[in-house]
Each structure stands twice: as C-alpha cells, then as structure tokens.
Amino acid sequence: MKPVSRRLFAALAVTAALVTAACGSGDDNSKGVNADGSVDLSQVTLHIGDQKGLGLQALLEVSGQAKDLPYKLEYSTFTAGPPILEAINAGSVDLGGVGNAPPVFAAAAKSQIKIVGSYSSGLAGQAILVPKDSTLKDPKDLRGKKIAVTKGSSSHYHLLTVLAKNGLTFGDIEPQYLQPADALAALSTGRVDAWAVWDPYVAQAEKDGNRVLVTGEGFVRGDSFFVAGTKALANKASSAALRDLLTRLQRAHAWVKENPDAWAKQSAELTGVPYDVTLVAVKRALYQHHPLDQATIAEEQTVADAFSDAKLIPNKVNIADFIDTRFNDRFTS
C-alpha cells in the first residue's frame, strides 16, 4: 500500500468508542425548555455522528456555518453509516449523515431513528473498483468473485443492484464484509477481486491506479440522508436546534459547491484526506438538498424491498414509519 494511502485510510478509519455514560440531548425532555414553553438553545448540546472524509464537522467549520452557534455541538467519529445509526439508537448520538442503506438496516432492527432530511449526493463517486491489471471488464464478470463491501452501507445496495441488473445474485459472489481500511488492504494484496465503496475512497483508489468497473450511474438514485434519534426529536429544544443545524448544513453544502478548491484545501488540513483526492470527490458530488417527498420515500422503500427480497435483512420494513417530515420546509427542492 502506498504511503499516502496509509495516511488517508488511517485518517478515515477512525471509530469512536461509544461511552455508555454519554447521553444524547434528548435524554431529558425538559432540558432547554423554559417553564413558559419557550426554548433556550444555549442549554442544548447536539451529539453528532461524523465520518472522516465526509465530515460534518469539517463541512460546518470550513464553510463558516459553525460560527455563532446558539447551541453546542459535540462530535464522535465513525468509519461508516451503520455504526452511526447504532449510536443514534443507543442514544449517544443525536444526528448523523448516512447513505441510502444504513437506515434500512436500522429500520429492520427496529431502531429508534427517523430520517429527517435528504440530499442528492451524486453517482460518479459510488463505484465498484478493481485493480488496474484485473481481467474483469464487465459487471457480469463478478460471478464467483470475492468482493469487499461494508455491510449495510450505500455501497452494499449499489453492489446488490449491479448484480441484479446483470442477472446475478449475492449467492453468485463471495461477499467480504470489510470496513474501508481493511477492504483497501485486501484489494491491494489480491485477497479480494473487487471493492464496492464510496468517495473519497474511490478517488484515492483511482489515484493509486485502481480502475472503476462500474459507477452508480443507472443503478441507484444516489440519495443521502440526515438521521436523528427519536429522543432528540421528542425534546422541543433539541428539535429546534436540529432545525437550525439542518439549515446550516444546506448552506454549507451550497458553499462547498461554489468553492470546491477552498473546500479541498481547508478540509484536507482538518481531515487528513489529501487535497487532490478531496477535490476530485467534491467536483463530482451534487449536494442538492430536497424535501422528504413521496418520490424520495418511495425510492428508499425500493432500497428496503431489495434488501428484504435478497434476504439480507430479516424482515420487510415500512420506510414511512421511519420518516419525519417536520423539517421539510428547510429544504429546497
């Protein structure tokens, strides 16, 4: 593995240990709420589940949206979306940003979560990668191959749809459920034949000479979601803080799209992801926020049905039961 890759994946593959004593802001439904029912946001601390390389902390700080917050933010860092939602269910995290598959797995586990916001993240940064000298030329060539993927991630769904549209099932491959750092090592040493993953890992892997076999184009819609805990949503003060934060995140994404070079330079200093890798990733991202409308909910139901039909989750889920549209007015369509 090249030195820059070691640095990148060491920076990205950080999972925060969940401290059982830690509490999300919704544990006390009266905290931040005055006797007259008004809200005191200065009494609110939102606990955010973050991902290195996709970091909400870096996004808010670099864009300037972290300035003059009327409430406090505390961050815990995870390798991918599924552990963020586990932390939200446990009550130690209030909000996190994830892809389209993690909410499905959380819903199947009857987790205490709600999808509260959505944005189109783009499809070019979602890919199945192979080594540059691989004999695999077409998705149909994946039959019988060992493929690394993070279980319950957006790439899990991408891989599932690529297989299905090419007449294959998960039974036709040997899935290797690995976190990104381990998956890169496996691809680099030939222990797997392909790797399904997302940006900025895709951008870094391409820089290292690996080849994209197929992107998300034509296979997935590419929505990402903000997910909150039901306890935080039940608290009037933390719900008000979440409303403000979602607005700031939309503004931050708009700033990033208008200032990709500045974002790449400044976020590289905060996240450890190289400037050139970040620039590639951001230039092919969309960051187009939109309401949780019927089309969005229907598409996420399609994701859920695909996993249940493939028996990759234990039961069917009704995604509408895990949607909260109270913040729709904060998202432009």
Side-chain angles (χ1 to χ4, degrees):
M1 192 185 308
K2 297 181 180 180
V4 68
S5 297
R6 288 195 187 96
R7 291 197 301 272
L8 171 66
F9 285 89
L12 292 176
V14 178
T15 304
L18 297 181
V19 181
T20 56
C23 298
S25 62
D27 283 340
D28 180 356
N29 281 340
S30 64
K31 188 174 180 62
V33 181
N34 298 319
D36 62 0
S38 62
V39 167
D40 181 2
L41 288 179
S42 68
Q43 299 300 308
V44 175
T45 299
L46 291 179
H47 300 265
I48 308 301
D50 209 1
Q51 293 186 58
K52 282 279 191 177
L54 305 173
L56 299 184
Q57 183 175 10
L59 177 66
L60 291 165
E61 290 181 1
V62 173
S63 67
Q65 289 299 315
K67 293 180 180 178
D68 302 320
L69 285 171
Y71 44 85
K72 301 178 184 68
L73 296 179
E74 292 184 357
Y75 299 89
S76 299
T77 309
F78 300 82
T79 55
I84 290 178
L85 297 197
E86 290 174 11
I88 291 176
N89 180 56
S92 55
V93 167
D94 298 313
L95 181 81
V98 301
N100 54 13
V104 169
F105 280 73
K110 298 179 170 46
S111 297
Q112 298 301 302
I113 59 104
K114 294 284 187 179
I115 297 172
V116 294
S118 180
Y119 64 93
S120 300
S121 50
L123 300 174
Q126 189 87 46
I128 298 176
L129 297 154
V130 296
K132 63 180 178 182
D133 56 355
S134 172
T135 59
L136 304 183
K137 306 296 183 185
D138 185 272
K140 293 183 176 63
D141 298 333
L142 294 172
R143 183 186 297 274
K145 303 303 181 184
K146 292 182 179 179
I147 305 173
V149 65
T150 300
K151 188 174 185 179
S153 68
S154 60
S155 291
H156 198 178
Y157 179 62
H158 179 215
L159 176 59
L160 178 62
T161 59
V162 168
L163 293 173
K165 289 193 176 184
N166 284 276
L168 303 173
T169 69
F170 255 72
D172 294 317
I173 65 167
E174 294 184 44
Q176 308 294 303
Y177 292 122
L178 300 171
Q179 291 299 318
D182 296 327
L184 174 71
L187 186 71
S188 301
T189 57
R191 288 185 285 116
V192 297
D193 302 294
W195 178 25
V197 74
W198 58 90
D199 262 338
Y201 300 104
V202 174
Q204 179 64 62
E206 287 181 288
K207 181 183 176 184
D208 289 349
N210 296 287
R211 175 167 53 86
V212 171
L213 182 68
V214 61
T215 69
E217 298 285 350
F219 292 99
V220 295
R221 171 166 157 159
D223 276 342
S224 291
F225 297 101
F226 294 114
V227 180
T230 55
K231 288 183 179 179
L233 290 167
N235 178 290
K236 184 177 180 181
S238 58
S239 178
L242 287 170
R243 170 177 287 274
D244 178 81
L245 181 59
L246 289 170
T247 302
R248 289 172 186 265
L249 287 168
Q250 178 171 270
R251 291 173 183 160
H253 274 149
W255 183 91
V256 166
K257 288 304 294 179
E258 293 175 0
N259 302 275
D261 191 70
W263 161 250
K265 287 178 180 176
Q266 295 178 60
S267 69
E269 297 175 1
L270 293 173
T271 66
V273 181
Y275 159 77
D276 53 351
V277 171
T278 302
L279 188 61
V280 168
V282 72
K283 283 190 172 181
R284 60 191 178 195
L286 290 179
Y287 300 135
Q288 180 61 55
H289 289 240
H290 57 79
L292 289 166
D293 54 20
Q294 288 305 309
T296 302
I297 297 170
E299 180 61 26
E300 187 66 356
Q301 185 64 53
T302 297
V303 177
D305 292 344
F307 277 113
S308 61
D309 291 346
K311 302 192 184 308
L312 294 173
I313 56 175
N315 50 272
K316 285 187 174 293
V317 298
N318 181 20
I319 285 296
D321 293 340
F322 297 86
I323 301 285
D324 189 321
T325 61
R326 73 178 73 180
F327 305 120
N328 264 1
D329 59 311
R330 286 305 194 201
F331 293 90
T332 57
S333 56

